[in-house]
Amino acid sequence: MHDRPAAVTALSQAVAAGRRLARRCTREPRVLDLLTAGSCLALMALDVPGLAAADNSLTGVTAALVLTAGAATLLLRRVAPWVPYLVALVLLGWLHELTLAQFALYSLARYRGRLAGAVGVIGYVSFAYVMFNLPGWPVHRGDTLSEFLSLVVPIGALAAGVGVAANRQDLVRALEAQRAETETLQAVQRERARIARDVHDFVGRELTLLSVRSQVLARRAAGGPHADGFEELSETARSAHRMLNEIIVQRGVDGRPTPGVEALPELVRRSALAGSPVDLHVDAAAHRLSPLRQAAVHRVVQECLTNAAKYAPGEVVTARVTVREGRLRVRVSNPLPSVGPAGEPDGPAAPVSAGTGTAGMGERVRTLGGTFFAGPRDGSYEVEADLPTDEPV
């Protein structure tokens, strides 16, 4: 095999370096704006000799300066696209220059959307039509209206159309980026929830074992010098377990505190708006319960109101939250509907809901050491949760 000539190798390396530089530059908005302004100026520079020869009091130098100033307004096309558009109209009326108008209409449609692009095209065509009917419009630019339309209208419509298409592509890319960011945040939240559950399960289990073991040792050492120490250790383990539960509940799945008893009036208000009035009573002592138990109360009442709205709309829901002798009791009931959707008797009463919501309520209550009942009772569908209050906070 023959070695490649050094000149060919150097040229290939230069081309590759140029491509890398071009890709890097195209990612920078300011660089793109500068390239756009330079391209527009290069195209308008072709008209400098004609502008200097025309009867407009411009020389070659002044015409170049005017066109450069006009092209420089494209540096504002992202933040203020109406500026190059208005300057383009000025150059159109003064120097009959159409090049800047194409870039301005494209920028207007891309960075301000379809409506702005349409308004820009209408204004541009209307202004050019007025100029066409005034004395002084160059004869070679169009002697008839048809020639005018074939020259001016396609320029504006095509430029704005390309700008609208680019605007939609920008929107699609932005939506895709937002969706990717949302999916990432959701994945982070799911992972945090899994970590929280793992911490609760594993650490909570060890704390429970520590508490039980300490109680056993305390009983074995009853009357001895270390009995009080074992009792204190057992109580410390139980307290740490409660604190762990409260932290998990207060964080919630989405990083916000889990709603408690204070959020029940809002549930009642929403239920009433949905057509299911609620008779709510909450003992004052319930507001002093730990967040873990308040979250259980909120969860039970919320699910019951949801079921009542779906399966017994219009019926009055009775909700009672009472605290008596170290027990927290939540009782929610509503009359069972007496007729079916078609106005016919339903027959034997059936549970209003047997879905995952009821199972979730029961699991939460039983996890806290309570009992749970859900089903028809005396012509009503009743949900009753009874659990220990633990220590109030």
Side-chain angles (χ1 to χ4, degrees):
M1 296 182 59
H2 298 284
D3 295 335
R4 297 176 62 185
V8 175
T9 302
L11 180 60
S12 301
Q13 293 176 350
V15 170
R19 290 177 178 175
R20 289 193 297 269
L21 180 61
R23 284 195 297 267
R24 191 159 43 246
C25 291
T26 52
R27 298 191 188 102
E28 296 294 334
R30 293 301 180 186
V31 175
L32 286 177
D33 293 342
L34 186 60
L35 292 176
T36 301
S39 300
C40 179
L41 179 60
L43 292 175
M44 291 192 298
L46 301 176
D47 293 335
V48 170
L51 294 176
D55 186 15
N56 52 27
S57 69
L58 291 178
T59 64
V61 176
T62 55
L65 292 177
V66 169
L67 296 181
T68 300
T73 60
L74 290 174
L75 298 176
L76 305 174
R77 67 193 188 113
R78 297 176 188 270
V79 295
W82 289 104
V83 173
Y85 173 78
L86 295 176
V87 173
L89 294 185
V90 172
L91 294 184
L92 176 64
W94 178 24
L95 304 176
H96 315 295
E97 177 60 58
L98 299 176
T99 304
L100 182 59
Q102 302 174 52
F103 286 84
L105 286 172
Y106 167 83
S107 302
L108 187 62
R110 178 168 186 179
Y111 300 112
R112 288 298 180 270
R114 180 172 56 185
L115 179 59
V119 172
V121 171
I122 293 173
Y124 158 75
V125 173
S126 301
F127 182 80
Y129 180 73
V130 171
M131 297 303 302
F132 171 80
N133 287 282
L134 293 178
W137 185 276
V139 176
H140 66 278
R141 293 294 180 91
D143 296 328
T144 65
L145 180 60
S146 61
E147 293 181 356
F148 163 77
L149 293 176
S150 64
L151 174 67
V152 175
V153 175
I155 290 178
L158 181 61
V162 175
V164 169
N167 176 262
R168 291 189 174 184
Q169 290 181 355
D170 292 341
L171 291 177
V172 169
R173 284 193 291 267
L175 289 175
E176 290 177 348
Q178 185 177 8
R179 182 175 61 184
E181 182 180 359
T182 301
E183 292 176 351
T184 301
L185 291 176
Q186 290 176 347
V188 170
Q189 294 296 344
R190 288 194 297 268
E191 184 63 24
R192 287 179 177 176
R194 286 193 291 267
I195 293 173
R197 288 193 295 268
D198 291 343
V199 170
H200 179 272
D201 293 342
F202 297 126
V203 178
R205 181 186 62 187
E206 298 300 325
L207 290 174
T208 301
L209 292 176
L210 177 61
S211 176
V212 172
R213 183 61 176 166
S214 300
Q215 290 176 353
V216 172
L217 293 176
R219 291 179 181 178
R220 289 180 178 178
H226 303 294
D228 293 340
F230 286 127
E231 287 289 350
E232 183 180 354
L233 179 61
S234 178
E235 179 58 30
T236 301
R238 287 196 297 270
S239 177
H241 196 183
R242 286 194 297 270
M243 293 175 61
L244 176 64
N245 288 337
E246 309 308 344
I247 292 173
I248 297 300
V249 171
Q250 288 176 353
R251 276 192 60 86
V253 176
D254 57 357
R256 295 176 299 177
T258 302
V261 175
E262 76 284 348
L264 293 182
E266 178 63 19
L267 291 180
V268 171
R269 185 186 69 83
R270 292 182 181 180
S271 180
L273 292 177
S276 297
V278 181
D279 180 15
L280 174 68
H281 170 76
V282 181
D283 283 354
H287 293 272
R288 297 191 296 272
L289 294 172
S290 65
L292 192 63
R293 277 143 185 82
Q294 292 196 37
V297 173
H298 184 277
R299 177 73 175 89
V300 171
V301 175
Q302 181 184 44
E303 185 63 28
C304 290
L305 296 183
T306 301
N307 290 339
K310 290 192 295 184
Y311 299 103
E315 301 289 350
V316 178
V317 182
T318 302
R320 298 288 183 266
V321 181
T322 58
V323 180
R324 296 288 187 277
E325 299 177 354
R327 304 294 296 181
L328 167 64
R329 186 181 183 188
V330 183
R331 183 177 180 273
V332 184
S333 64
N334 60 267
L336 286 170
S338 58
V339 296
E344 301 177 357
D346 280 337
V352 170
S353 175
T356 58
T358 303
M361 286 191 292
E363 179 64 23
R364 181 180 286 266
V365 172
R366 284 187 288 269
T367 300
L368 296 177
T371 59
F372 180 81
F373 168 82
R377 178 185 290 174
D378 299 332
S380 298
Y381 186 80
E382 185 173 306
V383 173
E384 185 173 312
D386 185 277
L387 58 155
T389 59
D390 205 342
E391 293 184 1
V393 295

